[in-house]
Amino acid sequence: MSCENEDSLRNSTAAHYIESLTHFERMMVVRDLSRHLNSVKRLQHGVRLFESAYKMQEAESDGSDVSFTWLLNSLAVLYDQEGHVEKATETQEKALSILSRTPKSDIREVVWTQNELGRMYRHQSRLIDAENMHLKALQAMNGTTAGVTTDLEIAWTLSTLGRVYRKQCRFTESISQTRRALDIRQLLLGNEHPHCLWLLGDIAQCHFENGEYDLALHYHREAYAGRKQTLGDEHPDTLWTMNSIGVVLARRAVDRDVAEAVKLQKTALEGQRRILGLVHRHTKWTEAVLRELEGRAR
């Protein structure tokens, strides 16, 4: 086989694989990509790339072609990663408006956009709007999965709904929804998958906010062990889990907890400065927490 034929076959296989992905799977790739670009300080490059692609598509249409909404969804994910929540919200609302006006839109695209809007509304403390968006998404999913309860997008919807309930201090409901999501992910992805470890952190945070510090420590430490093994010592998620353990220890303040909390925050800060840089919001957050803890220890 010639090199030209090999390239053609390779490109055809790649295109077929991409086409076989669901909208949810594609968007999760974009989410992971945005997190990676952020960690290597290339996020703005990714934003420019997607903005350029969308402008090209928009110039060739009237801007309301449903086949381009995935670019809007992707841009919103990148804007969110930049911390531009209002811009991300406006972009997802534009995508949902296009999908709503288009007969026979892919329900998976609608569900993704509803869930993303729910997340953005939660970031803006619009909790009723956030809850309604996630419930609409869940209702739509229940109508399309024909009784299947082990779907990763159902797990995503349950986990995002659980975060809204946590913000509303509905801790029992939050833990219930998050555990349902965790059961699905562990079944389909395995216990050590990063997306499962996120949910352990969510359960830990629920217990923390409910004043159940020992339970919070248990789940945070389980998440930390999994992230250290799966992602490595200096992955941003591993470092952030160290932050979380330190916060719980400082709040519990039993015996030598504060001294251990200071040690953890210092270690996390060193890693965040190396990996994320001096001006990253995680780095700045850890610096502020450490100053407060060291003031208490004196």
Side-chain angles (χ1 to χ4, degrees), residues 29-257:
V29 170
V30 173
R31 279 183 60 83
D32 287 343
L33 173 63
S34 72
R35 287 166 59 84
H36 173 71
L37 289 173
N38 195 20
S39 69
V40 298
K41 306 177 184 65
R42 297 279 288 167
L43 187 56
Q44 289 184 350
H45 173 76
V47 170
R48 288 194 298 270
L49 183 66
F50 275 89
E51 285 180 338
S52 175
Y54 181 71
K55 286 175 182 177
M56 289 176 59
Q57 298 287 4
E58 192 174 35
E60 297 174 4
S61 70
D62 60 0
S64 61
D65 190 332
V66 72
S67 65
F68 305 146
T69 53
W70 77 273
L71 284 171
L72 289 170
N73 290 151
S74 300
L75 267 173
V77 169
L78 291 162
Y79 292 149
D80 177 37
Q81 190 68 215
E82 282 187 311
H84 298 154
V85 176
E86 290 186 3
K87 196 172 184 179
T89 302
E90 291 170 2
T91 305
Q92 295 290 16
E93 287 175 337
K94 182 177 181 179
L96 186 59
S97 176
I98 294 171
L99 291 166
S100 300
R101 295 196 307 267
T102 305
K104 297 182 180 180
S105 293
D106 183 350
I107 191 62
R108 295 280 184 159
E109 291 190 46
V110 175
V111 165
W112 172 269
T113 310
Q114 288 172 330
N115 274 329
E116 285 299 283
L117 276 172
R119 288 198 323 108
M120 296 304 100
Y121 293 154
R122 169 167 53 85
H123 293 333
Q124 296 169 314
S125 297
R126 297 168 56 183
L127 299 182
I128 298 300
D129 291 335
E131 181 182 3
N132 287 338
M133 275 294 168
H134 293 314
L135 289 174
K136 284 180 182 179
L138 193 59
Q139 183 178 20
M141 287 294 296
N142 287 336
T144 60
T145 53
V148 176
T149 57
T150 54
D151 182 283
L152 286 174
E153 193 157 17
I154 289 179
W156 178 258
T157 308
L158 292 169
S159 68
T160 50
L161 180 60
R163 288 187 171 189
V164 175
Y165 288 157
R166 191 183 83 216
K167 285 284 188 179
Q168 294 172 324
C169 298
R170 295 159 64 179
F171 299 118
T172 300
E173 292 169 275
S174 178
I175 290 173
S176 174
Q177 300 293 354
T178 306
R179 280 198 168 280
R180 288 176 62 194
L182 180 60
D183 288 344
I184 295 171
R185 285 185 180 174
Q186 287 180 332
L187 177 66
L188 297 178
L189 302 175
N191 292 2
E192 300 303 315
H193 191 281
H195 294 179
C196 297
L197 301 174
W198 287 351
L199 296 186
L200 287 176
D202 284 354
I203 292 171
Q205 190 62 23
C206 246
H207 286 300
F208 173 72
E209 292 179 19
N210 201 30
E212 299 168 327
Y213 302 135
D214 289 343
L215 282 170
L217 277 175
H218 169 78
Y219 285 105
H220 275 317
R221 282 174 169 156
E222 187 176 349
Y224 174 71
R227 283 172 167 162
K228 187 174 180 180
Q229 178 178 336
T230 303
L231 302 173
D233 290 352
E234 292 203 333
H235 188 278
D237 288 353
T238 308
L239 298 171
W240 188 249
T241 311
M242 293 180 69
N243 288 138
S244 298
I245 294 171
V247 168
V248 178
L249 287 169
R251 180 70 62 87
R252 191 176 67 165
V254 174
D255 297 329
R256 298 179 58 83
D257 279 357

